[in-house]
Amino acid sequence: MTVAGAIIDLDGTVYHGDTLLPGAASAIDVFRERGLGICFFSNNPIHDGSEYVERLRGLGVDAREGEACSSGVVTREYLNGSHAGDDVFVIGSEPLRSMVTGTEARLVEDPAETDVLLASWTDSFHYHDMIDALRAIDEETVFLGTDPDRTFPGEDGDPVPGSGAIINAVAGVIERDPDRILGKPSEIAVQAALERLDCAPTECVIIGDRLETDIAMGERNGMTTILVRTGVSNERSLERSAVTPDYVIDSLGDIEEVLTSLDV
């Protein structure tokens, strides 16, 4: 088969917190040697692509400008394309608020005056945020979430609450599901990744630690899917999930054997 590009998850796949996972840096070198395009893609909404490139380089990974994307970047691009001129109220982190400030939408502080309610991860999520959500929402308000990840791997690899936990809390109190969730596995995320790789989905492999986002995104779009055991999903998850990866490997460091089997 023809493989031209690789979408590579970060948290739980390349690193845990500030710790590079064994074999990850050499695995990226393998992709380079085989001539594959690379798109590093995190559902963490608080960093943009250039920040991820800098972080990866600091960990010793050969990451290059323009190769990284995140749910925060996808959210920024979506607001520019679909909500230019609209007022946006954010329940989320200061970095995400800064990204919204850099769009053609307007960040607002009064929830009663918003057109768009955007919910995401923040470690300062509070009861008052749910009050703000109730004040913000009406029949005309658009409700967006940055990404669906209920947890993500912490510094020691153990799960901690993610954006999905907060989005679900907000959805529960306002009794309404989000109109869109923008990170993986959404079609908006797929488009963002493929634009960076400039190839068809059937020419992509996608590697990640999470069945319901990384692997589901690939399965839905005809990509070759590779699950790593270094993050959230485990053997029990595999047994229970309707999503089935094409390959399961212990870590990203084992990627060469998969690429060889694909004749890449």
Side-chain angles (χ1 to χ4, degrees), residues 118-140:
L118 174 63
S120 183
W121 176 87
T122 172
D123 59 3
S124 60
F125 185 63
H126 193 277
Y127 181 78
H128 294 300
D129 291 313
M130 292 189 284
I131 295 174
D132 286 340
L134 285 169
R135 301 295 177 266
I137 210 73
D138 61 29
E139 292 182 358
E140 297 181 355

Side-chain angles (χ1 to χ4, degrees), residues 47-54 65-70 73 76:
H47 301 295
D48 67 15
S50 61
E51 290 174 301
Y52 277 114
V53 168
E54 182 178 352
E65 291 301 325
E67 287 186 335
C69 190
S70 70
V73 172
R76 181 174 64 196

Side-chain angles (χ1 to χ4, degrees), residues 43-46 71 91-92 96 118-123 125 130 143-153 160-173 176-178 180-185 210 212-213:
N43 257 1
N44 187 323
I46 67 173
S71 65
I91 296 173
L96 179 63
L118 174 63
S120 183
W121 176 87
T122 172
D123 59 3
F125 185 63
M130 292 189 284
F143 177 26
L144 302 177
T146 54
D147 64 277
D149 292 6
R150 290 170 297 172
T151 63
F152 61 91
V160 295
S163 298
I166 292 172
I167 294 166
N168 289 342
V170 171
V173 77
R176 177 174 155 187
D177 290 332
R180 285 185 182 273
I181 295 183
L182 301 166
K184 296 178 292 186
R210 193 180 293 267
E212 68 271 23
T213 54

Side-chain angles (χ1 to χ4, degrees), residues 22-254:
S26 59
I28 301 307
D29 294 337
V30 170
F31 287 112
R32 302 267 183 228
E33 291 162 3
R34 300 192 180 216
L36 301 186
I38 292 174
C39 176
F40 298 104
F41 202 133
S42 174
N43 257 1
N44 187 323
I46 67 173
H47 301 295
D48 67 15
S50 61
E51 290 174 301
Y52 277 114
V53 168
E54 182 178 352
R55 180 178 187 182
L56 288 165
R57 287 175 174 173
L59 292 171
V61 176
D62 180 12
R64 303 174 186 179
E65 291 301 325
E67 287 186 335
C69 190
S70 70
S71 65
V73 172
V74 172
T75 298
R76 181 174 64 196
E77 293 176 352
Y78 183 77
L79 290 176
N80 273 331
S82 299
H83 293 285
D86 286 349
D87 293 332
V88 180
F89 184 84
V90 175
I91 296 173
S93 65
E94 283 304 317
L96 179 63
R97 291 168 61 86
S98 295
M99 277 194 261
V100 173
T101 300
T103 71
E104 295 181 27
R106 292 185 296 269
L107 179 69
V108 296
E109 301 299 328
D110 184 352
E113 298 298 326
T114 193
D115 302 304
V116 179
L117 172 63
L118 174 63
S120 183
W121 176 87
T122 172
D123 59 3
S124 60
F125 185 63
H126 193 277
Y127 181 78
H128 294 300
D129 291 313
M130 292 189 284
I131 295 174
D132 286 340
L134 285 169
R135 301 295 177 266
I137 210 73
D138 61 29
E139 292 182 358
E140 297 181 355
T141 308
V142 176
F143 177 26
L144 302 177
T146 54
D147 64 277
D149 292 6
R150 290 170 297 172
T151 63
F152 61 91
E155 291 284 345
D156 56 3
D158 290 335
V160 295
S163 298
I166 292 172
I167 294 166
N168 289 342
V170 171
V173 77
I174 66 175
E175 298 183 290
R176 177 174 155 187
D177 290 332
D179 296 294
R180 285 185 182 273
I181 295 183
L182 301 166
K184 296 178 292 186
S186 75
E187 288 303 312
I188 297 166
V190 173
Q191 182 179 357
L194 294 179
E195 285 176 354
R196 286 160 173 80
L197 290 170
D198 192 25
C199 65
T202 53
E203 298 175 328
C204 286
V205 295
I206 182 166
I207 308 100
D209 69 310
R210 193 180 293 267
L211 287 162
E212 68 271 23
T213 54
D214 305 306
I215 306 307
M217 185 168 97
E219 186 175 84
R220 293 174 189 176
N221 291 278
M223 301 175 188
T224 299
T225 58
I226 305 167
L227 180 74
V228 293
R229 293 189 176 99
T230 49
V232 172
S233 297
N234 53 31
E235 296 303 322
R236 190 174 183 182
S237 304
L238 275 166
E239 292 173 2
R240 295 180 172 186
S241 177
V243 178
T244 304
D246 296 309
Y247 297 88
V248 180
I249 55 179
D250 287 336
S251 73
L252 188 60
D254 299 320

